[in-house]
Amino acid sequence: MKTTLSLLLVLMLVSGLTMAQKSPAGYVNPFIGTGGHGHTYPGATMPFGMVQLSPDTRLEGWDGCGGYHYDDTYIYGFTHTHLNGTGVPDLCDILFMPTTGETRWNNGSDGKPGYGSHFKHSSESAEPGYYKVALDDYNIITELSATMRAGMHCYTFPAGTASNILVDLFHRDEVLESSLKVISDTQIEGLRRSRSWANNQYVYFVAEFSKPFTSYEIAVDNQTQAGLKSAVNNKKNIKAIFHFSTTAGEKILVKVGISAVNIDGARLNLKAEIPGWDFDLVRKSATAAWEKELSKIEIEGGTDLQKTVFYTALYHTMVNPNTYMDVDGSYRGRDLKVHKDAGFTNYSVFSLWDTYRAYNPLMTIIDQKRTLDYIKTFLVQYDQGGLLPVWELAGNETNCMIGYHAVPVIVDAYLKGIRGFDTGKALEAMRKSAVRTDNAGLKALDQYGFISTEDESESVSKTLEYAYDDWCIAQFAKSIGKNDDYKYFIKRGQNFKNVYDASTGFMRARSNGGWFSPFDPFEVNFNYTEANSWQYSFSAVQDMDGLIRLHGGQENLAKKLDELFSASPKTSGRDQSDITGLIGQYAHGNEPSHHIAYLYPFVGQPWKTQELVHRILNTLYHNDPDGLTGNEDCGQMSAWAVMSAMGFYPVTPGADFYVIGTPWFSKVTINLENGKKFVISAGNISDNNFYIQSATLNGKKYAASYLKHTDIMNGGELTFSMGDKPDKKWGSGKKNQPVTAITDNLIVASPTISDASKSFIDKKEISITGLEGASISFIAAGADGKSSVQPYKGPFSITETSKIRFNAQKKGVSSPWIYAKFTRMADDKDIKLTYPPANQYSSGGANNLIDGIRCSPDFRVGGWLGFEKVNLEAVIDLRKVKAVSTFGAGFLQDINAWIFMPSQLEFFVSDNGTDYRSIVVVKNDVPKEKEGTILKTFEIQVDPVNARYVKVIASNIGNCPPGHKGQGGPAWMFADEVIIK
């Protein structure tokens, strides 16, 4: 018994030593994020590689953005490009699939037998740079690895004379142009040019087989073309299959080089990076590359689960942006032309709305050289495309998301000492992005200091994010001595003040000179980007001092933060799949919330940040496929975890400090490019001991709840002493709290009209509210156009359609003049709705349908009444019997927003409001599948009928039709004006 126990102890000790000595890459689990809504892929890629060789299991749908989802059990094939956790699908180019048996051109997505195969996760494995799976339908083992610009496949076949390797250039998105050519019995080449998120993506390829094929077939539109050695088709379906005779366990290798430039580039990339046929060498080289990158941060202590979460997160920050340049320096630029000799590595896939927050600041610490190449790529894209990138993919600007967040990436890097780029051109490019007269929102921003619901959708989020970006431009301008630019942009950096509603304590949409109503901070609507007011009301990181003042002091803002984290986790309004990982109304699954847990140190309560960060790390990051609470978003979700696990976070990129949270490990060592090391140590740390009791920096007492960037880059050691109870003195106090503040060129916030509803009957009272201590002036112009500037002394009434302008002045500073228009309705009818519209699309209520004001084609900017799944049923009281000969109503269709025309309209009349008779039915003739924004007024004339009451029923189609992206989900119907003449 003693001998058995001793042996067991020895085995446990050896096992423990082995686990303790596991390398960083050994902790990476590429399956994290492949389930749930993480949208990652498990396949083989190099750090920042151009090739992402991975299985495709899902062809469409939001959770198929990365091509793979862990819930699936069917593999269509293995493609060479993939996106890392995005919210829009694309890539998955150049599909290879090993098969046995008869030729099948169908992939199996229609339920009929296809070339794809079922698989089990028990036979699937992955590690950085390597993927393996057994294809159950064929008894084939597939192994994948990659170099920077080439992929290598290893297929282990069973015995047979009908072993095949299929190539599908039609797979996934719309093909614009494709070609495939057989060069020899071991080599093929081709092109796939396609359109999806990227409007015009080029992928040239050259593939070589380790064994000659015995025969082959080429199919166009799934029809075999006898005798073809090549096929070229625009917007057509090209596939090929190559036949081999194999013995049991025989391996056939395929190596594939890709290029966005041309066939010669793909061939050169392949020859340079995989000259031979040693699959194990390619795999080992990929592993070595990953070990080198991941070893930039070394961790000690913690559990295996924590280490796996950490190193997988670090791994996910290093799979993109992707190298987008051939080995000879050629690349396809933002103008989609071929360029060469850039003098830097050109990159692609810039998800900047996401990554500027934590991913890019992380790179300023651990990868400054690559950060400089990102900036040089930005500036070249500005030269080639006219603007800095917003969301660039494969040389295409997708213009996805909001803001111009290349700006904080450039500014943060520059102010942290990353130089070597043209600062004059950088400022010019920033200005060009920020001041554009062709952009309605930016034009309004310059004119009014905020974006209104009438100007653009997502107006609150845009106002807030533009303000932050503009503050960044101001910091950059100041640092290079451009004082006029500094003054201009530092004023714009304060525009968050114009959307802060003091009466509610929330950032709220402006509409017609007042506030958007009705207001519900829990409501997800088109005034915010993938969020609600709760999640955007703390977005003034460039001027936290100013935000504190708006709330009336630190205690009040702290209370507001407490309310955020303790609020009900339910949202109202639109169903927004990105809003996940809720703690109260804090939504960790989407980026606008990411900084909020770190705001407590600004109000003197850092221990609350420590508790929240510890909770988020432990509850919202897991070692399983559903281990991410939201989209990976090109490394941002993981960058939050990496930064937070080290113990600090970049709340305000563009500032020179990080806010301290709480470390996750007993020791973290950052190996800097300058040869120095920065160490974060945490004594007595445990799952319960996550509160900081005290700290030292390089042996000296450190009481600040923030850390300077220079302290990290100079090397040294930050040591924490941890405990199980908060120390409310550490990190608080005036000198120890982080501060961001705008102190010069201060603006006066714009005043607001209390009731901004655009129409009225008889008369309307106008009440204007402004900043405390400010005086207000106004101009009211009626139908005669006469007007003059008057001091506002109190509410006044208007009795005719009027335009009103007003502004505020304080201490010699004036706000912009704000504009509002109020239309007097004809007082000849009333309207009642049987079913109310959705709150976020209720505009001015039922009267909106009879006010004579027609809406903008953009349903998101207000005015329309939106009905989800229910009918529009309205009764119009004409107040007396009248002869009516014209009936009608206006509607909008935008199927990409799930909005469809009614299937029909039926009009009824009544003399008493109880007994109705049908007069006319108008059928819809707009196809349900018709794309674009379509406005249609259904209007029909009949022989005059006498009626006091008119009822209209517009029939909602109910659910999105078959073939639509939202198939089976509730459909919307948007109505504007009911016409009765």
Side-chain angles (χ1 to χ4, degrees), residues 836-839 841-842 864-868 870 972-975:
N839 186 61
Y841 306 120
S842 59
W864 294 90
L865 296 193
F867 299 85
E868 185 180 30
V870 301
W972 284 88
M973 181 173 63
F974 275 64

Side-chain angles (χ1 to χ4, degrees), residues 400-702:
C400 188
M401 308 311 294
I402 64 173
Y404 26 91
H405 294 313
V407 167
V409 176
I410 297 170
V411 174
D412 189 50
Y414 183 81
L415 295 177
K416 289 176 177 176
I418 299 174
R419 308 294 167 88
F421 60 90
D422 186 334
T423 56
K425 178 182 287 187
L427 182 58
E428 173 191 303
M430 293 178 197
R431 276 196 305 253
K432 186 76 175 290
S433 290
V435 184
R436 287 182 283 143
T437 56
D438 62 341
N439 181 292
L442 289 172
K443 188 176 179 180
L445 201 69
D446 248 0
Q447 191 170 356
Y448 305 120
F450 59 85
I451 300 170
S452 174
T453 59
E454 293 88 358
D455 301 315
E456 280 190 343
S457 63
E458 303 174 32
S459 59
V460 180
S461 298
K462 288 175 180 176
T463 299
L464 293 170
E465 296 201 29
Y466 288 150
Y468 165 71
D469 289 342
D470 289 338
W471 173 83
C472 288
I473 298 175
Q475 305 314 299
F476 187 79
K478 187 176 184 178
S479 70
I480 63 172
K482 300 294 183 180
N483 199 46
D484 288 343
D485 286 316
Y486 168 76
K487 289 179 180 179
Y488 173 75
F489 284 106
I490 202 65
K491 289 180 180 178
R492 284 186 29 158
Q494 301 168 64
N495 281 335
F496 68 91
K497 298 173 182 177
N498 292 320
V499 292
Y500 176 75
D501 175 15
S503 69
T504 62
F506 287 96
M507 299 293 180
R508 185 173 171 184
R510 298 291 296 265
S511 179
N512 197 37
W515 298 113
F516 175 86
S517 293
F519 173 68
D520 173 9
F522 293 84
E523 182 179 85
V524 179
N525 57 39
F526 279 109
N527 297 325
Y528 306 90
T529 302
E530 298 180 359
N532 60 22
S533 184
W534 269 117
Q535 291 140 21
Y536 258 104
S537 286
F538 303 92
S539 297
V541 295
Q542 71 274 25
D543 187 9
M544 285 302 298
D545 185 65
L547 185 64
I548 289 167
R549 291 176 187 274
L550 289 178
H551 280 273
Q554 290 188 1
E555 289 186 9
N556 288 344
L557 183 55
K559 183 180 178 182
K560 196 73 173 181
L561 285 166
D562 292 343
E563 291 172 359
L564 168 77
F565 288 104
S566 61
S568 166
K570 293 183 179 180
T571 60
S572 61
R574 292 176 62 226
D575 178 25
Q576 182 68 53
S577 51
D578 297 274
I579 300 176
T580 55
L582 286 157
I583 301 175
Q585 281 294 303
Y586 170 87
H588 191 71
N590 210 22
E591 282 67 24
S593 288
H594 273 189
H595 67 285
I596 301 177
Y598 282 91
L599 295 184
Y600 280 107
F602 288 90
V603 294
Q605 298 181 10
W607 67 89
K608 291 182 180 178
T609 287
Q610 294 160 30
E611 188 277 327
L612 281 165
V613 169
H614 182 76
R615 192 196 322 180
I616 294 167
L617 282 170
N618 281 284
T619 61
L620 298 180
Y621 291 88
H622 307 286
N623 180 21
D624 57 55
D626 195 11
L628 296 175
T629 190
N631 299 3
E632 174 56 56
D633 282 320
C634 294
Q636 170 59 27
M637 193 66 64
S638 286
W640 190 98
V642 171
M643 296 292 289
S644 295
M646 292 195 295
F648 51 91
Y649 188 82
V651 168
T652 312
D656 63 350
F657 66 87
Y658 305 90
V659 175
I660 292 174
T662 184
W664 215 26
F665 299 100
S666 59
K667 186 177 182 181
V668 175
T669 301
I670 306 173
N671 297 308
L672 301 165
E673 287 167 285
N674 60 16
K676 298 178 181 179
K677 297 177 184 289
F678 187 75
V679 178
I680 304 103
S681 300
N684 200 35
I685 192 171
S686 70
D687 192 47
N688 292 321
N689 294 353
F690 55 82
Y691 289 111
I692 297 172
Q693 308 297 299
S694 63
T696 62
L697 179 61
N698 299 327
K700 296 181 180 179
K701 182 179 178 181
Y702 195 78

Side-chain angles (χ1 to χ4, degrees), residues 39 62 65-66 82-93 172-174 176 192 194-201 334 349-354 390-402 530 631 633-634:
H39 298 183
W62 189 61
C65 289
H82 289 83
L83 289 169
N84 176 32
T86 60
V88 182
D90 205 334
L91 305 188
C92 299
D93 299 290
R172 191 79 166 183
D173 57 7
E174 179 187 358
L176 299 176
R192 185 175 195 276
S194 62
R195 172 169 56 210
S196 181
W197 195 7
N199 201 44
N200 192 1
Q201 182 209 0
R334 173 65 187 84
V349 187
F350 289 107
S351 180
L352 294 165
W353 182 82
D354 305 289
V390 176
W391 213 125
E392 180 274 343
L393 171 60
N396 293 253
E397 180 51 70
T398 69
N399 285 307
C400 188
M401 308 311 294
I402 64 173
E530 298 180 359
N631 299 3
D633 282 320
C634 294

Side-chain angles (χ1 to χ4, degrees), residues 300-424:
E300 298 177 29
T303 64
D304 280 352
L305 183 148
Q306 288 174 305
K307 290 175 181 176
T308 296
V309 166
F310 179 85
Y311 275 119
T312 304
L314 188 59
Y315 165 81
H316 277 139
T317 69
M318 294 175 169
V319 298
N320 52 260
N322 303 118
T323 299
Y324 202 59
M325 174 180 274
D326 293 346
V327 292
D328 67 349
S330 300
Y331 68 96
R332 191 170 295 275
R334 173 65 187 84
D335 53 5
L336 297 181
K337 297 177 181 178
V338 174
H339 302 267
K340 195 172 182 179
D341 300 325
F344 62 92
T345 300
N346 186 67
Y347 286 90
S348 179
V349 187
F350 289 107
S351 180
L352 294 165
W353 182 82
D354 305 289
T355 63
Y356 86 86
R357 305 167 196 266
Y359 167 83
N360 290 106
L362 173 64
M363 293 297 120
T364 67
I365 298 172
I366 66 171
D367 208 334
Q368 295 194 335
K369 181 181 183 301
R370 191 167 273 111
T371 295
L372 179 58
D373 280 351
Y374 294 165
I375 294 170
K376 290 181 176 180
T377 300
F378 294 169
L379 296 181
V380 164
Q381 289 189 2
Y382 166 68
D383 285 339
Q384 297 165 351
L387 288 173
L388 290 169
V390 176
W391 213 125
E392 180 274 343
L393 171 60
N396 293 253
E397 180 51 70
T398 69
N399 285 307
C400 188
M401 308 311 294
I402 64 173
Y404 26 91
H405 294 313
V407 167
V409 176
I410 297 170
V411 174
D412 189 50
Y414 183 81
L415 295 177
K416 289 176 177 176
I418 299 174
R419 308 294 167 88
F421 60 90
D422 186 334
T423 56

